[in-house]
Amino acid sequence: MRPLQSVRGMHDVLPAQAAWWQTLDQHCSEVFAAYGYQRLRLPLIEHSALFQRAVGEATDIVEKEMYCFADRGGGDLALRPEGTAGCVRAGIEHGLLHNQTPRLWYCGPMFRYERPQKGRYRQFHQFGVEAFGLPGPDIDAEQIAMCARLWRRLGLSGLQLEINSLGSIEERAAYRGVLVDYLRRHADALDEDSRRRLEANPLRVLDSKNPALADVLADAPALNANLGPESRAHFAGLRTRLDSLGIGYRINPRLVRGLDYYSRTVFEWLTDQLGAQDAVCSGGRYDGLVEQLGANPTPAVGFALGVERLIALMQRQGTALLSTAPHAYLIHRGEPAAALAWRLAEDLRDALPSLRLQVHAGDGSFKSQFKRADRSGAQVALVLGEEEAERGQAQIKYLRTQSSAETLPQRELAVRLRQCLLINQAEKGHE
Ligand code: HAM
């Protein structure tokens, strides 16, 4: 029998990797909350029709990358390839978008049947952010600033922001005609992939990485030269905001994105440190999607960041990991002390909700318990020997510094721990 293996393109995250994921999780949830975004949890499975309508029939994602299946009821279902469609579906279904301007975020696995390679997987993870009901470029700029803040928090440098405007839905449609005319005239110079896309999804031809097409594409009519006054003003507004926030960017007239729902602003954060899969975060405006899915017209803008790619970058650039080790390890000896230890631990957790406290379980000499305390990564050992238990005292032993041990009444322990440990990190801030 062949050994069991994970499915191609789908990976386990082992405990050694957990601290990276946890660090990213924590920074994302704190940064999103700092901008007033609220968390939403969405199903992994939706009706395939949702993605056909939202992402677009002629996109690679829907055409060849979706995991579609029928369940026992015969439904035509899909593992979600991205989160925006489900978020809009949920917003409409629960009336969140009606006369409201929700700012939402979600995270979790997405599934695309792509050719796996470094940075490209069949199950990958995203943090996604979406804001509804806000038409101005100020919110686009704020979302980009939110990413920039996250990069700073994570200690990441060298990320390049590219922006473009696809114009309104009508302008985009008109441009499509202009582009198709041009590409048809140069059909001989196109490769097979581009010829196929020419009819189905011509904007994506601009995305081609084939160097043989570089000349033809360089002369192709540019999308942002075809924008009307409103779209131009919107894009100028975005640039003014980014300038005033001190966020550098490059305008890339070829940035079109691989999903059909975008209009006006599109953006990507790129790195040159991860090889071919260089986009760590991408998004833009999708002012037509809510209406297209059956509700009142509602402008919207959002982005998603690729967790695996960001973690690869964090590892390369040495992001400081947030510790998950206990702050304190409680050591005890003798039955009266043991009973007291578990009670004392509960009292300490009541008094200090952010305290991470591990109580030694079972027997063991002081020596072996200290060894475990050391291995746990705790900063201090709290010692409850028979003598301390009898006197209502406890001892604090510092495991990582030269400070001498202190013996104090148990009721003063919480106050002392608050002073000497780095707890309530979130309240102290990271920047
Ligand atoms: P997307 O560009 O398809 O956009 O994906 C967003 C990010 O997910 C990419 O920049 C990349 O970092 C990561 N990613 C995509 N595919 C893979 C893969 N196969 N393996 C690893 N990472 C991957 C969206 O999904 C839109 N829903 C974003 C959005 C939200 N637009 C508006 N709101």
Side-chain angles (χ1 to χ4, degrees):
M1 207 165 51
R2 283 176 52 197
L4 289 173
Q5 285 184 334
S6 73
V7 175
R8 191 163 127 83
M10 311 210 172
H11 297 283
D12 302 307
V13 179
L14 300 178
Q17 296 289 313
W20 296 99
W21 286 68
Q22 184 138 351
T23 299
L24 182 58
D25 276 6
Q26 191 160 333
H27 284 300
C28 283
S29 55
E30 285 176 17
V31 169
F32 299 160
Y35 288 78
Y37 282 75
Q38 291 193 315
R39 179 151 185 197
L40 185 77
R41 289 170 211 264
L42 298 161
L44 267 58
I45 295 173
E46 299 274 359
H47 295 287
S48 312
L50 173 67
F51 301 110
Q52 282 152 8
R53 286 173 62 183
V55 176
E57 292 270 16
T59 56
D60 284 351
I61 294 179
V62 169
E63 227 177 37
K64 50 186 187 189
E65 294 171 1
M66 271 215 301
Y67 280 88
C68 295
F69 62 99
D71 67 3
R72 283 172 194 274
D76 190 0
L77 305 177
L79 287 178
R80 62 182 184 189
E82 60 99 55
T84 307
C87 187
V88 172
R89 195 263 316 133
I92 296 174
E93 189 171 334
H94 303 289
L96 304 181
L97 311 184
H98 189 63
N99 287 337
Q100 296 172 72
T101 53
R103 301 184 196 192
L104 307 168
W105 71 274
Y106 51 82
C107 64
M110 307 291 160
F111 303 86
R112 296 182 195 176
Y113 191 79
E114 298 198 75
R115 196 168 50 76
Q117 54 173 262
K118 185 168 164 274
R120 188 161 75 187
Y121 310 107
R122 289 182 174 171
Q123 173 172 325
F124 62 98
H125 296 74
Q126 287 184 343
F127 278 87
V129 162
E130 320 285 358
F132 295 93
L134 305 164
D138 46 359
I139 190 77
D140 310 22
E142 192 195 54
Q143 287 192 352
I144 290 173
M146 193 152 99
C147 298
R149 177 172 301 280
L150 186 61
W151 313 150
R152 287 200 298 280
R153 278 253 191 139
L154 296 170
L156 298 179
S157 57
L159 281 160
Q160 166 81 48
L161 171 65
E162 290 194 348
I163 60 171
N164 191 23
S165 175
L166 302 182
S168 66
I169 299 153
E170 298 76 28
E171 286 154 7
R172 191 182 146 157
Y175 171 73
R176 188 183 191 279
V178 175
L179 182 66
V180 169
D181 280 352
Y182 173 84
L183 293 174
R184 278 209 188 113
R185 272 186 273 126
H186 295 85
D188 290 350
L190 300 181
D191 58 14
E192 198 188 318
D193 213 28
S194 300
R195 247 178 260 138
R196 195 178 53 79
R197 281 185 171 151
L198 170 59
E199 300 305 330
N201 198 355
L203 263 65
R204 290 287 283 165
V205 177
L206 297 177
D207 242 8
S208 170
K209 303 240 157 51
N210 183 350
L213 269 64
D215 286 346
V216 179
L217 297 185
D219 291 339
L223 204 164
N224 51 17
N226 285 270
L227 301 188
E230 271 185 47
S231 292
R232 248 180 283 153
H234 196 278
F235 195 47
L238 170 66
R239 281 160 33 209
T240 310
R241 287 292 165 125
L242 292 178
D243 291 340
S244 82
L245 290 166
I247 297 173
Y249 56 84
R250 195 174 84 84
I251 298 174
N252 175 2
R254 301 270 192 77
L255 180 63
V256 291
R257 312 274 300 115
L259 305 94
D260 274 358
Y261 48 61
Y262 292 109
S263 56
R264 298 224 160 114
T265 309
V266 285
F267 66 89
E268 267 182 359
W269 288 91
L270 306 169
T271 171
D272 57 7
Q273 295 179 12
L274 295 180
Q277 303 309 317
D278 56 357
V280 296
C281 173
S282 342
R285 207 159 250 292
Y286 48 99
D287 289 344
L289 183 60
V290 175
E291 186 180 17
Q292 199 183 310
L293 293 183
N296 291 335
T298 306
V301 58
F303 66 84
L305 50 90
V307 172
E308 285 81 358
R309 293 182 194 176
L310 260 184
I311 286 180
L313 205 56
M314 287 160 63
Q315 290 174 332
R316 225 188 123 100
Q317 297 196 8
T319 293
L321 291 177
L322 299 177
S323 175
T324 51
H327 297 107
Y329 190 100
L330 205 166
I331 285 170
H332 48 85
R333 198 169 60 180
E335 183 38 44
L340 191 65
W342 295 97
R343 244 184 19 243
L344 181 64
E346 291 301 325
D347 292 344
L348 287 173
R349 293 189 189 103
D350 285 343
L352 300 171
S354 321
L355 176 70
R356 295 192 298 272
L357 171 64
Q358 195 167 326
V359 183
H360 181 79
D363 300 330
S365 66
F366 267 150
K367 193 170 163 214
S368 75
Q369 293 194 47
F370 268 113
K371 258 199 200 147
R372 285 198 191 218
D374 190 44
R375 249 187 281 143
S376 77
Q379 297 168 50
V380 299
L382 306 178
V383 187
L384 261 188
E386 278 155 5
E387 215 173 287
E388 284 91 357
E390 241 168 59
R391 293 191 192 154
Q393 292 181 324
Q395 197 182 46
I396 302 183
K397 279 209 166 185
Y398 294 87
L399 301 173
R400 316 282 157 202
T401 65
Q402 301 301 320
S403 314
S404 34
E406 302 168 39
T407 301
L408 66 170
Q410 286 159 15
R411 67 187 130 71
E412 289 173 20
L413 208 49
V415 173
R416 186 72 195 106
L417 285 176
R418 196 203 307 275
Q419 288 164 347
C420 72
L421 295 175
L422 197 65
I423 50 178
N424 295 330
Q425 222 170 9
E427 285 137 56
K428 289 194 177 144
H430 296 273
E431 288 181 304

